[in-house]
Coordinates of all heavy atoms in Angstrom, one line a residue:
T434 N -18.8 36.2 -27.7 CA -17.5 35.5 -27.4 C -16.7 36.2 -26.3 O -16.7 37.5 -26.4 CB -16.6 35.5 -28.7 OG1 -17.3 34.8 -29.7 CG2 -15.3 34.8 -28.5
L435 N -16.2 35.5 -25.4 CA -15.5 36.2 -24.4 C -14.2 36.7 -24.8 O -13.5 36.2 -25.8 CB -15.2 35.2 -23.2 CG -16.4 34.6 -22.4 CD1 -16.0 33.4 -21.6 CD2 -17.0 35.8 -21.6
A436 N -13.7 37.8 -24.2 CA -12.4 38.3 -24.5 C -11.3 37.2 -24.3 O -11.4 36.3 -23.5 CB -12.1 39.5 -23.6
A437 N -10.2 37.3 -25.1 CA -9.3 36.2 -25.1 C -8.5 36.1 -23.9 O -8.0 35.2 -23.5 CB -8.2 36.6 -26.2
T438 N -8.5 37.3 -23.1 CA -7.8 37.3 -21.7 C -8.6 36.5 -20.6 O -8.1 36.2 -19.6 CB -7.5 38.7 -21.3 OG1 -8.7 39.4 -21.2 CG2 -6.6 39.3 -22.3
K439 N -9.9 36.3 -20.9 CA -10.7 35.6 -19.8 C -10.7 34.1 -20.1 O -10.8 33.6 -21.1 CB -12.1 36.3 -19.9 CG -12.3 37.6 -19.6 CD -13.7 38.2 -19.5 CE -13.8 39.5 -19.0 NZ -15.3 40.0 -19.0
P440 N -10.7 33.4 -19.0 CA -10.7 31.9 -19.0 C -12.1 31.4 -19.6 O -13.1 32.0 -19.3 CB -10.5 31.5 -17.6 CG -11.0 32.6 -16.8 CD -10.7 34.0 -17.4
P441 N -12.1 30.3 -20.3 CA -13.3 29.7 -20.8 C -14.2 29.2 -19.6 O -13.5 28.7 -18.7 CB -12.8 28.7 -21.8 CG -11.5 28.3 -21.3 CD -10.9 29.6 -20.7
R442 N -15.4 29.3 -19.8 CA -16.4 28.6 -18.9 C -16.4 27.1 -19.2 O -16.5 26.7 -20.4 CB -17.8 29.1 -19.0 CG -17.8 30.7 -19.1 CD -17.6 31.3 -17.6 NE -17.5 32.7 -17.6 CZ -18.5 33.5 -17.4 NH1 -19.8 32.9 -17.3 NH2 -18.5 34.7 -17.4
K443 N -16.3 26.3 -18.2 CA -16.2 24.8 -18.5 C -16.8 24.1 -17.3 O -16.8 24.4 -16.2 CB -14.8 24.5 -19.0 CG -13.8 24.7 -17.8 CD -12.4 24.4 -18.3 CE -11.3 24.7 -17.2 NZ -10.0 24.5 -17.7
R444 N -16.9 22.7 -17.6 CA -17.2 21.8 -16.6 C -16.5 20.5 -17.1 O -16.4 20.1 -18.2 CB -18.7 21.5 -16.3 CG -19.4 21.0 -17.6 CD -20.9 21.1 -17.3 NE -21.7 20.5 -18.6 CZ -22.9 20.5 -18.7 NH1 -23.8 21.0 -17.8 NH2 -23.5 20.1 -19.8
S445 N -16.2 19.6 -16.1 CA -15.3 18.4 -16.6 C -15.5 17.3 -15.7 O -16.1 17.4 -14.6 CB -13.9 18.9 -16.7 OG -13.4 19.3 -15.3
L446 N -15.0 16.2 -16.0 CA -14.9 15.0 -15.2 C -13.7 14.1 -15.6 O -13.6 13.8 -16.9 CB -16.3 14.1 -15.3 CG -16.3 12.9 -14.3 CD1 -16.6 13.3 -12.9 CD2 -17.6 12.0 -14.8
W447 N -13.0 13.8 -14.7 CA -11.8 12.7 -15.0 C -12.4 11.3 -14.6 O -13.2 11.1 -13.6 CB -10.7 13.0 -14.1 CG -9.7 14.0 -14.7 CD1 -9.7 15.4 -14.4 CD2 -8.7 13.8 -15.6 NE1 -8.7 16.0 -15.1 CE2 -8.2 15.1 -15.9 CE3 -8.3 12.7 -16.4 CZ2 -7.1 15.2 -16.8 CZ3 -7.3 12.9 -17.3 CH2 -6.7 14.1 -17.5

Side-chain angles (χ1 to χ4, degrees):
T434 305
L435 292 173
T438 56
K439 293 184 178 181
R442 310 289 176 88
K443 60 186 178 182
R444 62 187 181 187
S445 60
L446 184 72
W447 277 97

